[in-house]
Amino acid sequence: MAHSIELTFDAATDAAVRREWDALADAGLPSQARHRSPTNRPHVTMTVADHIAPNVDDALRAAALALPLDCRLGAPLIFGRHALTLVRLVVPSEGLLALHRRLADLAGPHQRSGPFPHARPDEWTPHVTLCRRLAPVDLPAALAVLGSDDVPGRFAGLRRWDGDARIDTVIAG
């Protein structure tokens, strides 16, 4: 399983994303709301690899001093062609891009084989996932549920996810 370093939101932004999760579920569509794990929460993956050693945590604590950080959840986007992943773009501000690069630099020596390509600086698309495995035929309904207004928000926390052990370690927030 993958390991990742993730930004989490403040309570108001977390609640805004969860309202979208709930709206999708209420419409009978796939939704992240259906995942009942206690570690399931809205987040933005900053880096992801096959393994990130826990000894990165001290370095991450220093980087977390950049929080809180304002953000804006922008337009819905889709990844994939057949089983779609529906996300909201996180508009890439200067501060977010700088933090992403810093976290990538800090995590690099603690990753077995480096980050997955889509998580590398200059190749990363910041986003928060709303649902996975959406059928293309259901995309118009999902977009109608979400609307198109941007959502102002704030990043307030940082965590490291160990997908093998299914444990999230809260670094800040």
Side-chain angles (χ1 to χ4, degrees):
M1 292 294 290
H3 291 216
S4 58
I5 297 169
E6 305 166 347
L7 287 178
T8 56
F9 297 103
D10 68 359
T13 311
D14 185 278
V17 173
R18 288 178 188 274
R19 282 191 296 275
E20 291 193 333
W21 288 3
D22 290 342
L24 288 166
D26 291 346
L29 297 163
S31 170
Q32 289 300 101
R34 298 185 194 285
H35 297 277
R36 297 296 180 198
S37 167
T39 60
N40 181 43
R41 64 184 291 189
H43 67 274
V44 173
T45 300
M46 300 296 279
T47 190
V48 60
D50 65 348
H51 179 80
I52 302 174
N55 59 357
V56 72
D57 292 353
D58 286 337
L60 294 177
R61 281 186 192 86
L65 296 176
L67 301 173
L69 180 66
D70 289 338
C71 66
R72 185 164 45 101
L73 306 184
L77 299 174
I78 56 169
F79 297 132
R81 291 191 179 146
H82 303 292
L84 306 176
T85 298
L86 180 62
V87 306
R88 270 210 184 259
L89 172 71
V90 176
V91 177
S93 68
E94 207 172 300
L96 180 59
L97 292 174
L99 182 56
H100 177 255
R101 189 170 297 282
R102 181 155 187 230
L103 292 172
D105 289 345
L106 291 171
H110 303 275
Q111 297 170 337
R112 275 191 209 142
S113 58
F116 294 168
H118 69 275
R120 293 181 184 141
D122 301 325
E123 297 181 42
W124 172 68
T125 302
H127 65 277
V128 59
T129 300
L130 303 176
C131 73
R132 300 180 195 284
R133 294 178 287 287
L134 179 69
V137 69
D138 290 330
L139 181 59
L143 293 175
V145 166
L146 298 178
S148 60
D149 292 339
D150 285 2
V151 177
R154 178 172 279 198
F155 293 114
L158 184 68
R159 71 180 184 176
R160 182 179 47 77
W161 169 250
D162 178 336
D164 296 318
R166 298 198 170 285
I167 295 173
D168 67 333
T169 300
V170 175
I171 306 299

